Amino acid sequence: MVSPSATSVPPWAREPHVEPADPTGRTHTLLVVGPGDGQTGTAVRAVAAGWQEELGAAPVHRHDCADAAVAVDALHADLAVARVGHRVLVAGTAEACLAVRAAAVRAGLADDELRFGAVAADVRTVWCVHCSATTTAAVAAGGVVACPGCARSLLVYEHVSRRTGHHLGFMVDAEDQPWEESA
Amino acid sequence: MSTTAPAPTAPRTATPPTALPAPGLPAPLGAGERLALVVVAVDDSVPGVRSLSLARPDGGALPSWTPGSHLVVEVPPGAGRERRLANAYSLTGETVHPSAYTVSVLRRDPQEGAAGGSAWVHGLAVGDTVTTTAPRSAFPPVQRATRHLLVGAGIGITPLVSHLRSALRWGRDVQLVQVCRGGRGAHLDEVRALGGDRVTVLDGRAALAAHLPALLADQPIGTHLYTCGPADFMDAVLAAARALGWPESRLHLEHFGLAALDPGDPFTVTVTGGPTLEVPSGTSLLEALEQQGYDVPHLCRQGVCGECRLRVAPAASTGVHHRDLYLDDAARAAGDCLMACVSRALPDPATGRAHLEVSP
Ligand code: FES
């Protein structure tokens, strides 16, 4: 068993969890990620409302986004003019939060500039080390998922890439396989 | 320093990478190794500041170093110095395969309580031999930064000179603000020549106080701040940055000129397999062990050189009050080692007992 504190999987990507807003920030970008209707939309808006209350009078640029791709675009637009002292808050599913975090990390943001509120953590993206295909599935870390690229059964490992937001997947019974001659 | 998880695009292999010695380059020095160097030039053109160039006696290339590194220079006993001292000085010269190491030393007067190391440096002449450690990096540029903001005061410009040179060489966005009095200061002509309009010189603290808020409020978000100078100057810079929302991960400081440490509270220490000793207030752990006849390797006796590191048994100790400038945050947090010359026991919050178990 891998100790949760020793892995790269943030606590909010294991089970739903909302981090507190950072009152030391001077300005904030708030990304509310989820379709307007339905359970996820209602839950992320509640998280956003809580954060806005915590932040009081601090300037908050709020973006309500249908999905992570829209949120990443909004993030990039804000970061292009952001000054040090800015913080980014993301409310969404863990999958959306990880995708936005990856874009933020690639843009040079540090962990102490990012806060996440994950309203669900059952779906994750898994990156196959064998063929580099990515699959999205409702699977827990430690579970097994079929790779759509190479059809191998992938063990979803307790590792999330900071730069892509994907979990690492590798062939579940790799040790039992004969070495592939053609590899 | 932060560690990075392996990226999926570069899967970890079973074999660890092998360090290949590059032919023709000087091998890196191990911990504790010393360099015997010769003074090849002195420059006293700035009043009160002596710049020294140190080279190998055979003129060979010296180990390369990371911008912001320092050299610990041994100061032999004599002229009122009861024992050997060791002082850390920032390197200011060429970082890659240098033929000389250069340091700049502000003279601090022994009559005003200085230990005498800088006065000794000011008495050196070309041809004298100096013993140093290899360069040590404790203030490196952050590779991920999209911009480097360097803010120094007085002799605190020294580690920022190498930051500036390296940033310019690699085409990185950099700005340097230097505070000095009367427009005179160590390395000022050099940084002006290097940095041109990326260098701002401010005359005195009042000018800094007027300049700082606007400067710190308007840095693009990828910027990292590096500051070096007197402790109250750095405190002021960091306080201004924090007030504007700068997160800790973007703030970097180099202690320069060590503020005197308080005498500390008494505690007890057990040497693994040996006796338990009292360490009174005002006595360092290093001194207490020396008084009992233990021979603990040491050099600087001020928490900068890393020589006096002892292992701590965390389970048998109440905690470590780290007061050195040598260990990094991860080593501190692990609580399994300390620098005996400055660090002490942290009392157990419940019982008030302060105890350490140490071994070499
Ligand atoms: S003797 Fe240098 S760190 Fe203790």
Side-chain angles (χ1 to χ4, degrees), chain B:
Chain B
M1 215 161 293
S2 62
T3 51
T4 316
T9 42
R12 229 207 291 244
T13 54
T15 17
T18 324
L20 293 176
L25 299 185
L29 291 169
E33 279 187 69
R34 299 282 187 277
L35 295 166
L37 303 176
V38 177
V39 178
V40 292
V42 297
D43 177 348
D44 293 329
S45 57
V46 175
V49 176
R50 153 73 59 96
S51 295
L52 283 183
S53 294
L54 306 168
R56 284 195 203 273
D58 64 4
L62 288 158
S64 301
W65 48 278
T66 306
S69 293
H70 63 266
L71 211 58
V72 178
V73 175
E74 289 190 23
V75 179
R81 298 180 304 274
E82 270 173 40
R83 59 180 157 216
R84 189 178 55 167
L85 306 171
N87 286 351
Y89 298 118
S90 296
L91 288 158
T92 60
E94 177 55 55
T95 53
V96 182
H97 307 148
S99 56
Y101 288 150
T102 53
V103 296
S104 292
V105 178
L106 176 70
R107 189 186 151 93
R108 293 193 164 91
D109 202 334
Q111 251 109 60
E112 286 163 22
S118 68
W120 176 78
V121 169
H122 278 250
L124 287 170
V126 170
D128 287 348
T129 298
V130 173
T131 303
T132 76
T133 61
R136 290 209 172 108
S137 170
F139 188 52
V142 173
Q143 297 300 325
R144 294 163 41 82
T146 54
R147 176 174 159 81
H148 303 267
L149 177 62
L150 315 172
V151 182
I155 195 69
I157 192 165
T158 49
L160 304 177
V161 176
S162 57
H163 273 257
L164 177 67
R165 186 182 293 109
S166 137
L168 292 168
R169 178 170 295 164
W170 294 100
R172 299 202 168 110
D173 188 6
V174 64
Q175 187 180 352
L176 183 144
V177 176
Q178 168 68 4
V179 181
C180 55
R181 254 178 238 117
R184 290 283 283 157
H187 297 281
L188 261 194
D189 297 341
E190 185 181 1
V191 299
R192 278 195 171 119
L194 274 171
D197 59 5
R198 293 163 176 277
V199 173
T200 307
V201 179
L202 299 174
D203 192 350
R205 298 283 183 89
L208 177 73
H211 188 78
L212 211 47
L215 178 77
L216 294 175
D218 195 23
Q219 296 298 316
I221 191 145
T223 308
H224 282 249
L225 171 70
Y226 309 80
T227 183
C228 183
D232 57 342
F233 159 81
M234 292 195 291
D235 287 348
V237 172
L238 296 178
R242 290 185 183 117
L244 288 163
W246 282 65
E248 294 304 311
S249 62
R250 298 195 180 279
L251 302 175
H252 313 277
L253 74 162
E254 173 78 322
H255 294 276
F256 207 94
L258 299 145
L261 291 169
D262 65 62
D265 294 323
F267 62 100
T268 53
V269 61
T270 302
V271 181
T272 303
T276 295
L277 321 169
E278 306 275 344
V279 184
S281 174
T283 299
S284 71
L285 173 57
L286 177 62
E287 288 162 344
L289 293 170
E290 285 174 334
Q291 283 160 17
Q292 292 295 315
Y294 288 100
D295 187 14
V296 181
H298 64 271
L299 192 54
C300 69
R301 305 184 83 96
Q302 53 183 349
V304 297
C305 77
E307 290 291 314
C308 66
R309 178 179 181 137
L310 293 178
R311 264 197 289 262
V312 172
S317 305
T318 56
V320 182
H321 179 24
H322 293 285
R323 308 203 295 177
D324 63 282
L325 305 176
Y326 179 80
L327 294 172
D328 62 21
D329 290 345
R332 269 166 223 276
D336 57 1
C337 63
L338 91 172
M339 309 317 300
C341 61
V342 288
S343 297
R344 308 181 72 84
L346 203 61
D348 183 314
T351 64
R353 176 173 174 261
H355 179 79
L356 293 174
E357 179 170 328
V358 301
S359 56

Side-chain angles (χ1 to χ4, degrees), chain A residues 26 83-84 87 108 112-113 127, chain B residues 8 218-219 244-245 249-250:
Chain A
R26 190 158 41 113
R83 307 283 107 178
V84 178
R87 301 288 189 276
D112 54 3
E113 293 168 321
W127 181 83
Chain B
D218 195 23
Q219 296 298 316
L244 288 163
S249 62
R250 298 195 180 279

Side-chain angles (χ1 to χ4, degrees), chain A residues 20-181:
Chain A
D22 180 356
T24 68
R26 190 158 41 113
T27 54
H28 305 260
T29 285
L30 170 54
L31 300 167
V32 189
V33 193
D37 47 0
Q39 232 184 319
T40 303
T42 309
V44 293
R45 283 194 298 277
V47 171
W51 278 339
Q52 287 199 285
E53 202 178 308
E54 279 180 63
L55 291 172
V60 175
H61 307 240
R62 174 172 173 154
H63 306 271
D64 285 84
C65 310
D67 57 33
V70 176
V72 167
D73 287 344
L75 174 69
H76 285 147
D78 277 10
L79 291 185
V81 294
R83 307 283 107 178
V84 178
H86 194 70
R87 301 288 189 276
V88 174
L89 304 115
V90 187
T93 61
E95 178 200 356
C97 287
L98 284 172
V100 177
R101 183 179 77 153
V105 166
R106 287 198 303 267
L109 288 195
D111 285 339
D112 54 3
E113 293 168 321
L114 298 167
R115 294 296 169 97
F116 297 93
V119 298
D122 45 348
V123 173
R124 57 209 76 231
T125 54
V126 181
W127 181 83
C128 173
V129 302
H130 309 285
C131 76
S132 296
T134 304
T135 179
T136 304
V139 59
V144 175
V145 67
C147 176
C150 63
R152 287 178 172 94
S153 291
L154 301 179
L155 175 71
V156 181
Y157 194 62
E158 291 263 356
H159 172 74
V160 170
S161 161
R162 290 175 52 78
R163 297 185 67 79
T164 66
H166 303 320
H167 281 68
L168 186 70
F170 55 83
M171 191 161 50
V172 63
D173 40 10
E175 277 89 35
D176 302 333
Q177 302 295 315
W179 291 107
E180 291 163 62
E181 300 291 333

